[in-house]
Amino acid sequence: MSERDALLLNYLMDDEEELNSDLTVDSQSVTYNTTISGDPLQAPSSRSVSLRLSDREHAVHEGCSSRASTDDDMVDPSTTGYATDQDESLDEGANHYSDFHTIDWLKDIAKDRLRHRSIIKKRKGTIPNKLSSACDAASGWLIVFLIAVSVGGVAGVIDIAAPWFSDLKLGICKDSFWLNREQCCWDNENNTRFDDSESCSQWATWPILFGIDSVNGAGIYLLEYVMYCTIGVLFALSAAVAVKIFAPYACGSGIPEIKTILSGFVIHGYLGKWTLLIKSTGLMLAVASGLSLGKEGPLVHVACCLGNILSYFFPKYRNNEAKKREVLSASAAAGVSVAFGAPVGGVLFSLEEASYYFPMKTLWRSFFSALVAAFVLRSINPFGNKHLVMFNINYYQRPWYFIELVPFMGLGALGGLFGALFIKCNILWCKLRKTSRLGNYPIAEVLVIALLTGLLAYPNPYTRKSASELIRELIAACSHESSEGICDYVNRTAETAHRGLSSSAIGPGIQTALWQLSLALVFKVIITIFTFGIKVPAGLFIPSLCIGAITGRMVGIGIEQLALANQNLLIFENLCRSDQSCVEPGLYAMIGAAAALGGVTKMTGILIFS
């Protein structure tokens, strides 16, 4: 163990234990005289490790190569190196790191320790000193509370605005334009379902708005087709232009860079106010454009931007980069919490995947931040169902059987194969973008991909709708009221559904849906490879979940019909008893979604099951 590691370990073992250290500072080095096991240790010079890149464009992935805004997001960018070439001190103002450098963890921790000892000594004096000490002790909880409220509010706005912009491609609510399609067509008196909203009188499609709804079917379809593609392209183009001009760091997911920053790396402008503004607005437009991307991953970046901005109101975190990363860890947990409605999953993500320095107090503050953010989002109720996510899974109470482990393992293998295929193909495409002239025209690339996505997605009803809506439909359990598409079973009645006999022979609707889902699967896989990495805010969680859910639903329907046709076989004897359904295809869709997400991100499915 090195001397610096020994000092850091001694600090982390007990945050409240005194460090019996004498600090000596000169213009060349910082010396710590600490007694450990009776031997004095002297730390080497506290110069930061300068991890300069050969080109600024290598600092982040291909989609975020330009320099972001020059606001003082992380530290003062006017410095050209860590401030050890000048007169060093551990006062609150000496905390300057240049761009693409790493922070000095040991020095920042020691500086915070000295600050804490100074406050402890002063609090024995006058009442103002005692109040100052109390405020300093409470500042950690106060800042994570403010971050959680801000993250929950911003996530609520994004969750409300993104579906509204997305439905704008199909039409608008005549009497209440601020409502999306589902909210506009929901009739509490008649209990009208959203699936029946094609006959909704309140929803006005574009042919109705243009006054040509009396034209033949081909003309109406063509106008709807053109408006769908045109509005989608305009949304994608607006997001790309905003990112290009105002905040180049707002593109992509942001999670890899957040992990890098939490490990101690400095990227100026990546967590600034312009990045926050463009990331939030561009994310809504990019999702609404119909591109094969999601908003869940970028919400982590948005949350960390809020955490970084709010930390500047607290000198304890503003002047100490190591302490600031404790706040960013809590922010990342809150971001995952509002993205997936999983506070525990957010804490586990921050602990296992994102953070490098995660003391016990940060664990509890991260959990508190995730809970408060989830509560704020639930209070806003953006989806109108009292849940934190559009697709809530809480109805699979029927048992699964040992024989079903075989298709479950098959779905896991398919998820891994898809992840390997996607990563390899996406890397090849990114290399081509970087080495060819295509990389010089990022806005044109977004324009072409958005146009191709709209042209190929509209004819298929399963790719026409947003990915979140498609996932919700695929993982849903069919009831006797569901008689269209993937729920078109033969001889299904309310009595059989009440008894749990949801499995029966498939009807023509499912047969049509299967080949439509097959085309949707091929389309989603191919278009996601080319979409991820373009110059718009883009997450990869939702496209991966969507691809896995499509695969799982088709496999589930196949296993269901196989078990139904061979009920007398020993392996299917327990599956098709007279008091329950043979197989629940929606459960297979959920397993497939988790498998695909794990294959692409190399993470476990804790976010799915949380």
Side-chain angles (χ1 to χ4, degrees), residues 70 81 132 141 167 171 197 231 278 318 382 393 420 463 501 517 580:
T70 59
S132 176
W141 293 97
D167 290 338
S197 61
I231 296 177
I278 300 303
R318 179 180 66 240
I393 305 171
T463 54
L501 299 176
L517 287 175
Q580 66 179 42

Side-chain angles (χ1 to χ4, degrees), residues 32 89-95 106-116 319-321:
Y32 301 88
S89 64
L90 291 182
D91 62 352
E92 302 235 343
N95 190 41
L106 184 58
K107 178 174 180 178
D108 283 349
I109 291 174
K111 186 176 74 172
D112 181 70
R113 190 60 187 172
L114 290 180
R115 182 197 61 81
H116 180 70
N319 300 316
N320 194 306
E321 291 296 315

Side-chain angles (χ1 to χ4, degrees), residues 78-150:
S78 64
T79 57
T80 59
Y82 185 61
T84 54
D85 293 333
Q86 308 295 331
D87 291 337
E88 267 186 6
S89 64
L90 291 182
D91 62 352
E92 302 235 343
N95 190 41
H96 303 299
Y97 297 95
S98 62
D99 207 2
F100 303 114
H101 280 65
T102 56
I103 69 173
D104 191 328
W105 290 93
L106 184 58
K107 178 174 180 178
D108 283 349
I109 291 174
K111 186 176 74 172
D112 181 70
R113 190 60 187 172
L114 290 180
R115 182 197 61 81
H116 180 70
R117 297 169 86 186
S118 175
I119 293 176
I120 294 298
K121 292 179 180 178
K122 291 180 181 179
R123 75 178 181 182
K124 299 179 182 179
T126 62
I127 294 179
N129 289 338
K130 293 181 179 180
L131 292 177
S132 176
S133 176
C135 292
D136 181 80
S139 62
W141 293 97
L142 177 60
I143 188 173
V144 296
F145 175 77
L146 295 177
I147 291 171
V149 173
S150 303

Side-chain angles (χ1 to χ4, degrees), residues 333 336-337 341-350 367 370-371 606-607 610:
V336 175
S337 175
V344 176
V347 177
L348 292 178
F349 173 82
S350 181
F367 185 57
L371 284 178
I606 185 64
L607 297 177
S610 294

